[in-house]
Amino acid sequence: MSDVIAATRERAVLGTSPTRPDAPAKVSGQFDFASDLTADGAVWGATLRSPHPHARIRSLDISPALAIDGVRTVLTADDVPGTNSFGLISSDQPVFAVDIVRFVGEPVAAVAADDPETCRRALEAIIVDYEILPALIDPEAALDPATPAIHPLGNVVRHQRIICGDPDINGEVTVEGDYEIGMQDQAFLGLEAALAIPDADGTGIELQIATQWLHEDRQQIARCLGLPEESVRLTLAGVGGAFGGREDISLQVHACLLALRVGRPIRMHYSRSESFLGHVHRHPARIWMRHHADRNGHLVKVEARYVFDGGAYASTSSAVLINAVTHTQGPYRCENAVVDGYAVRTNHLPCGAMRGFGVVQACFAHESQMDRLAAACGLDVLEIRRRNAMESGDRLITGQTVTSVAPVRRCIDETEALPLPDKAVGHGDHPYSLPGGAGLTTDTTDVVRGIGYAVSIKNLMYSEGFDDYSTARCTIENGVVSIKFATAEVGQGFVTLAGQIARSVLGVDEVVLEPIDTGVGSAGSTSASRQTWMSGGAVKEACELARDSVIASVALARGVEPGQLELLGTEIVDPIDGWRIAMTDAIQGVSVNEEAVYRHRPTVALNELGQGACHTAFAFAAHRAVVDVDVELGLVKVVQIATAQDVGRALNPISVIGQIEGGIAQGLGLAVMEEIVQVDGVIRNASFTDYLLPTIADMPPVEIALIEEPDPEAPLGAKGVGEPPTISSTPAIVAAIRDAIAQRHPEATPLSRVPVRPSDVVDAFRGLRPTDHDR
Amino acid sequence: MPVFHPIDVDEAVELLARRGPRRILAGGTDEMVRINHGAAVGEGEEIVCLNNITELRSWAFESDRGVLVIGAAVPWTELASGAIATLCPSLAEAARTVGSPQIRNAGTLGGNVATASPAGDGLCAAVALDAVAVIRSAAGSRRVPVAELVTGPKQTGLGPEELITSFEIPLTEGYQGYAKVGVRNAMVISIAGACLVVDEQHGISRLALGSVGPTILRCPEAEPLITDVILNRSGNTARLDEIVDSVRSAARPIDDHRATADYRRHAVGVLARRLVTRAISAREENNT
């Protein structure tokens, strides 16, 4: 064994940060995003949408559109050959509205025409006579049985209670608060786009689509088209971000229907303003919480009531709600709980998955509460969190035992230990370093610096008994190793990681990634921080099977037992007989085709009392925010975020850091600027002019500590890292803003709403209730 | 849709004088947003593109008149730095707050004035600077103060056959500055803005407010107070409070999706106080 020589150059294996395979194309503008795709003879598709939040369609006349030169077809609900409905959990959303429209933006018809301008004219020419109905826009009203149902399935999508321990116990100290979370948009930069190509005989279709889950799309599309699933073939087109906003059907069915009708390929793209109407958003939520503790700050009981506004259709609202209520306690031990959660239907834009998936909302509330509790107990905000920090083996309020590695205390300690910004207020080198930025609103003397902390727990993978799995195939032919999976690469970097896994397991350096399509079993969704664990597990297993197969064939050729051989780095070694063969040589002439399906351990649904081991695994993170606040104007500049995150194992450190920084940017957006504003059910800011995302002038440096305690339950020891950065960064920033305000105005009302608008800050010290601001 | 590329102002105004609907395109930073938001291009509409007219993209300092003449299609980037920024710092500060570098390379002061948004950054500075728009048509030319040219939200006194060719800005000695509140640190539409220009020679000051009324507002009651406070060093907290109250009274803001009227009124008072404070500091620095 002594003569095994380490590789002289770094191999792009697990633990390294190789360049993404798609990086050169993306950096040079050569990468084909879904909107770049075209095909010979392609024509364009477009969607007619409801301008009203709630209305009855009295009549619909498509004939003026059909009369326009260049218009190929106009489709309505009557033209849907299969089921005219879709949905991730309940199939409650029509492909095209029938009789009733339930939100501004609901599809009513679709057109195909020779060019986008003709599509636009065709949409304008369609005559829809609407009878306006009263819109249900108050989620509390949706809970009132006296409110007329706006959907046959009723206005309450789900109600879930959690009763744990002694519901009547009280703590010596109690704090309570009402919290509100605004509607956030995923705001992926690559807009919805697809290319649908009908089979020549019209009996099937190929869809090239930017999505998060090819197989789920296929199932829903096939049902709507009335085709067997095998007749619907999906290929992943270049995805420009997702963040949950591509889990649901948007233009998939419309594009396929149009293509099958006109017998030509259909290109379909949303504009930015249409995108705001065409995908689900983060649920706006109203949350009440009351925390009970003993006088030493140990949590005794949490009480909460959640109302999540799911908008017009169910999407994943029921699962989002479950995530929220089951994370009420945060990353803290608590034995008693009384929680009530409702996901309701309104005539707002539909809401569903977005990075953090219900936990973002819960965390903003529970972390705001922990700060209040610390104040009430006379404790430091970190001390109260340390005293309550959850550990592996603790029981959640659902009765589930946390079996994951749970380094909550370490997250807190390592976050606190990260260096603070070295620049004092106003010592930046650019106006962007002050609140107000280029607007030159603010002088150094106007600024107060605040610091805040927050800590989070997030479930990983799908929950509540869902059969969650991923599939991967490893083939070796002609000395070439190929990996195939249907895992949607949405920018997160699984294409990089898959290669790293294959190289690590197989001991080869060249790995071909096959096209990502439905030609292999489902990978599940690229969401819930699950693909590194799930598809990573599947690729690992498939590669292990292939490796064993190669070793077996070498053993056979050499006349030794396979168990005598082992793969060390890039070589198969016989330590007994003292020979070695490079894996690249060993794979020549062998033919291997191994497929693996990885499943995480089963979960169960919650019972009526909210009890049950409904989640698979958990990841933790802590954030510290340093902010400079121009209190008088209510303007905020986030100066630095520090975070320690429980990652299990950093399989690709640069990717992990990218996820952390990007997730924090999204959390910062929710904290201080990102919100879809709807007035009477009508979106008012469906553009990047008015839906503000943080830019480089707003995003601060991030100090990161990766906590690497490999999780024995994870196939690669690694936890998903995508969601935690988005979750506790938001409450940390708001805590820091509160801290700054309190330095100037100790009696100010604590902020209780995100995003924090400048007027919320000003109202906090002017004695107005910030949440009651009339918009 | 026909697009015309006149090479001088005469040709441009000839085109505008022809019958039929015309749209004037300079930087396109408002027009393209309008089109992207689904605004239809009207039947038979023609575009008159100004990008090839050198005269519109030039500027000059006429020392005899003490006037800076800025072509209507000079892009923000040029206004934001170099000699113009030295001569007219408040315009430069306003220019730097407009959009992104790409937008500033394309967008123009003329477009900002013609669009007449109450949130127009350049428009606010132009009003505070007492800028005069030079307007040409095939029939002749006229000169109108920008403050009078803009009559309401997205409304101006410009006729369909008229073209703003330049702005004449009388140069003044004394502090000037622009400040604007937006919810992010760059690339943001103003939710309250203010531009202060102190004219030491004439012993006056002008304060223009943006995004707090149907158009840019001046503060006739606050301005003498401001002048007094700055030039006569009569500043104290009570006087500043008086200015702030007066500015807030002058504001006529509305609630919309960007901000509340209440906040806008509050903010514009804060901006006024800070600009006056900066003016006092700048004057003290100059005198020491």
Side-chain angles (χ1 to χ4, degrees), chain A residues 16 33 285 351 583 599 617 696:
Chain A
T16 69
F33 288 98
C351 290
M583 196 66 176
R599 278 186 165 76
I696 196 163

Side-chain angles (χ1 to χ4, degrees), chain A residues 356-370:
Chain A
F357 205 77
V359 182
V360 164
Q361 293 90 330
C363 185
F364 174 62
H366 70 62
E367 286 307 276
S368 300
Q369 284 286 100
M370 290 303 281

Side-chain angles (χ1 to χ4, degrees), chain A residues 630 632-633 690 693 766, chain B residues 184 258 262-263 266 274:
Chain A
D630 178 339
E632 196 179 15
L633 282 176
D690 278 322
L693 296 163
R766 290 200 306 182
Chain B
R184 73 181 164 196
R258 294 189 187 125
D262 180 56
Y263 175 76
H266 166 81
R274 291 185 182 174

Side-chain angles (χ1 to χ4, degrees), chain B residues 35 53 142 162 179 242:
Chain B
I35 290 171
I53 306 178
R142 59 182 182 127
E162 287 187 313
E242 205 181 329

